[in-house]
């Protein structure tokens, strides 16, 4: 939530790429859906760099939301309002 542009170093990007490669090679079909919520304003910059490293089938399973107005209806629909932790809606 509080990520800053100064934290996006070459080490950060190298580690992120490595993790993406490992996950895609070792667990290619186990990912159902990823909801990334409360992203900081710098996240679209990071996403533009990371997304090309991911398989298109993987990126199709990822949804990104900046705040509760965006993610609450989606999460309630996907997992049910009764299963949504209070701090997420």
């Amino acid at each position: 939530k509080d990520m800053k542009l100064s934290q996006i170093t070459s080490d950060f990007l190298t580690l992120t790429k490595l993790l993406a490669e490992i996950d895609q090679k070792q667990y290619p079909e186990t990912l159902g859906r990823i909801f990334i919520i409360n992203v900081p304003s710098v996240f679209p910059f990071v996403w533009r760099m990371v997304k090309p490293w991911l398989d298109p089938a993987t990126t199709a399973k990822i949804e990104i939301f900046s705040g509760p107005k965006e993610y609450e209806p989606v999460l309630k629909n996907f997992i049910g309002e009764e299963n949504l932790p209070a701090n997420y809606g």
Side-chain angles (χ1 to χ4, degrees):
K1 186 174 181 178
D2 296 324
M3 180 181 235
K4 295 175 180 52
L5 192 56
S6 62
Q7 294 171 303
I8 304 168
T9 64
S10 62
D11 287 342
F12 169 83
L13 293 174
T14 300
L15 179 60
T16 302
K17 185 174 184 178
L18 177 64
L19 290 171
E21 289 172 358
I22 290 170
D23 286 347
Q24 290 184 119
K25 288 178 185 174
Q26 301 299 319
Y27 312 102
E29 296 302 322
T30 59
L31 175 64
R33 202 70 168 266
I34 292 179
F35 297 105
I36 303 174
I37 63 172
N38 293 325
V39 298
S41 59
V42 71
F43 189 82
F45 174 74
V46 174
W47 182 241
R48 280 193 301 275
M49 289 188 290
V50 172
K51 190 175 178 179
W53 302 333
L54 302 173
D55 185 279
T58 300
T59 60
K61 298 176 183 181
I62 299 172
E63 294 189 52
I64 301 167
F65 304 102
S66 61
K69 288 185 180 182
E70 293 178 343
Y71 71 72
E72 278 183 15
V74 176
L75 291 180
K76 286 177 182 178
N77 184 53
F78 192 77
I79 65 171
E81 189 168 359
E82 68 280 2
N83 297 313
L84 188 64
N87 57 323
Y88 294 125

